[in-house]
Amino acid sequence: MQPIGFVLQTLGELLIAITVLRVHSRMKKEHKIDGVVLSELKEEQRLGHFGIALLAIGFLLQLPSIL
């Protein structure tokens, strides 16, 4: 199970990093926050939550091999 935990943890970390970079890029490009930016922020927030869930699942899968 350890490889699955590692993969899920890595995917979660990547999703969170991509989400942050996309939000910063969009805000830099737009120089304002309007409806389009707000809807993109909501989508990226969902991706961030999914990434956090993957991190938690990956951690839990790896925990037994550490103990």
Side-chain angles (χ1 to χ4, degrees):
M1 282 285 196
Q2 188 173 358
I4 294 171
F6 176 72
V7 168
L8 290 177
Q9 182 176 355
T10 303
L11 286 175
E13 291 169 350
L14 287 172
L15 273 175
I16 291 170
I18 289 168
T19 299
V20 169
L21 291 175
R22 284 181 59 191
V23 123
H24 287 199
S25 173
R26 181 67 178 206
M27 290 178 75
K28 181 180 176 184
K29 180 181 174 184
E30 291 293 326
H31 296 288
K32 61 183 176 189
I33 296 179
D34 58 4
V36 174
V37 175
L38 286 176
S39 68
E40 190 165 324
L41 285 171
K42 287 179 186 177
E43 176 188 342
E44 291 169 352
Q45 189 176 25
R46 283 191 295 273
L47 277 176
H49 285 125
F50 184 64
I52 291 169
L54 288 177
L55 284 170
I57 292 168
F59 170 78
L60 292 173
L61 288 173
Q62 291 182 65
L63 189 60
S65 67
I66 295 170
L67 301 175

